[in-house]
């Protein structure tokens, strides 16, 4: 009998399973699929490797009030809707409250799993994500936008550590109007890339930038820009 689910659907379930967020009703689906699919079995192992590194990569620091409000608004915005929540919202909601994960840490979890999903092989039927380059005096990095243009993952190297009183805030700059603060960069493990996850219609913005702001963020960007990039396909 033909498998009832696609490779892409199984990959999404594997991402949830890697962080302990898989619903019991879905386990039989992935086990049946993995029994006959070598590619997805390899993907499952890769997700497990990524998930095993996440706790050590996150520092238990108090989340800025603005970031906490934004994250909670995203998680609960569709709580009353009858449709199932997207997999990334189920992932955030499944993080145990008694673990040393902050709101910033939750975004780092989503970033890591999102990269795993976008990097999985065998997705020839889906449009490829778009990658933009960002840079600054010492920083270099990329913004990877998913195929629908609604989610982006920013990864940056070369940024200096900041004191607890400051953050790197990420801004999307529209073609008209004021810059919009969308995320804060979280430091990686052992000097690894800083990461941030953002939501929105990326096509509505002409560029991206990051600035140093006081903890909690700023309503408008300061003059301490550390990186920027144009949101146009190379």
């Amino acid at each position: 009998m033909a498998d009832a689910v696609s490779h892409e659907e199984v990959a999404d379930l594997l991402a949830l399973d890697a962080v302990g967020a898989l619903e019991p009703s879905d386990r039989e689906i992935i086990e049946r699929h993995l029994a006959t699919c070598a590619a997805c079995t390899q993907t499952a192992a890769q997700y497990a490797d990524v998930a095993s590194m996440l706790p050590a990569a996150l520092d238990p620091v108090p989340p800025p009030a603005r970031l906490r409000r934004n994250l909670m608004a995203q998680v609960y915005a569709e709580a009353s809707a009858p449709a199932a929540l997207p997999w990334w919202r189920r992932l955030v909601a499944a993080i145990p409250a008694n673990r040393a994960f902050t709101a910033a840490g939750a975004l780092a979890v989503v970033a890591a799993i999102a990269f795993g999903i976008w990097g999985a092989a065998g997705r020839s039927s889906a449009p490829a994500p778009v990658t933009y380059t960002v840079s600054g005096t010492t920083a270099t990095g990329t913004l990877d936008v998913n195929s629908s243009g609604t989610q982006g993952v920013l990864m940056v190297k070369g940024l200096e550590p900041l004191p607890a009183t400051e953050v790197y805030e990420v801004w999307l700059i529209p073609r008209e109007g004021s810059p919009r603060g969308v995320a804060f960069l979280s430091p990686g493990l052992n000097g690894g890339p800083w990461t941030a996850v953002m939501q929105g219609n990326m096509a509505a913005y002409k560029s991206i930038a990051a600035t140093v702001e006081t903890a909690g963020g700023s309503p408008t960007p300061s003059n301490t820009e550390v990186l920027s990039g144009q949101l146009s396909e190379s």
Side-chain angles (χ1 to χ4, degrees):
M1 182 175 65
D3 202 330
V5 293
S6 67
H7 293 286
E8 183 173 3
E9 290 170 328
V10 170
D12 288 351
L13 294 176
L14 291 174
L16 292 170
D17 190 34
V19 294
L22 184 69
E23 296 180 358
S25 59
D26 291 329
R27 180 162 300 281
E28 182 180 353
I29 295 175
I30 64 172
E31 289 180 351
R32 184 169 61 248
H33 184 91
L34 293 180
T36 59
C37 182
C40 287
T41 299
Q42 182 179 4
T43 298
Q46 292 172 344
Y47 287 177
D49 287 343
V50 171
S52 68
M53 296 185 292
L54 294 177
L58 304 174
D59 295 325
V61 297
R66 180 182 176 187
L67 178 57
R68 182 171 60 251
R69 289 195 303 270
N70 290 347
L71 180 62
M72 291 303 98
Q74 291 175 1
V75 171
Y76 294 111
E78 298 178 6
S80 60
L85 289 175
W87 71 267
W88 64 270
R89 292 185 180 173
R90 291 164 55 195
L91 174 59
V92 172
I95 297 174
N98 62 340
R99 296 290 296 276
F101 283 100
T102 65
L107 288 180
V109 173
V110 176
I113 300 300
F115 270 114
I117 289 176
W118 290 345
R123 306 288 184 84
S124 58
S125 61
V130 179
T131 299
Y132 303 101
T133 300
V134 299
S135 62
T137 303
T138 62
T140 59
T142 57
L143 172 67
D144 289 289
V145 178
N146 66 352
S147 57
S148 64
T150 58
Q151 298 179 16
V153 178
L154 179 64
M155 295 189 70
V156 182
K157 296 180 179 180
L159 290 175
E160 294 294 327
L162 291 176
T165 56
E166 295 179 329
V167 294
Y168 289 118
E169 187 164 6
V170 181
W171 306 86
L172 289 174
I173 296 95
R175 293 178 176 83
E176 297 182 0
S178 302
R180 176 189 170 207
V182 292
F184 298 94
L185 283 161
S186 298
L189 175 66
N190 296 329
W194 293 66
T195 60
V197 177
M198 60 207 71
Q199 304 289 320
N201 178 14
M202 299 299 164
Y205 300 96
K206 65 177 182 179
S207 59
I208 185 172
T211 58
V212 178
E213 307 294 348
T214 57
S218 171
T220 58
S222 67
N223 293 324
T224 55
E225 183 178 290
V226 294
L227 64 88
S228 63
Q230 295 298 311
L231 299 187
S232 58
E233 295 188 33
S234 57

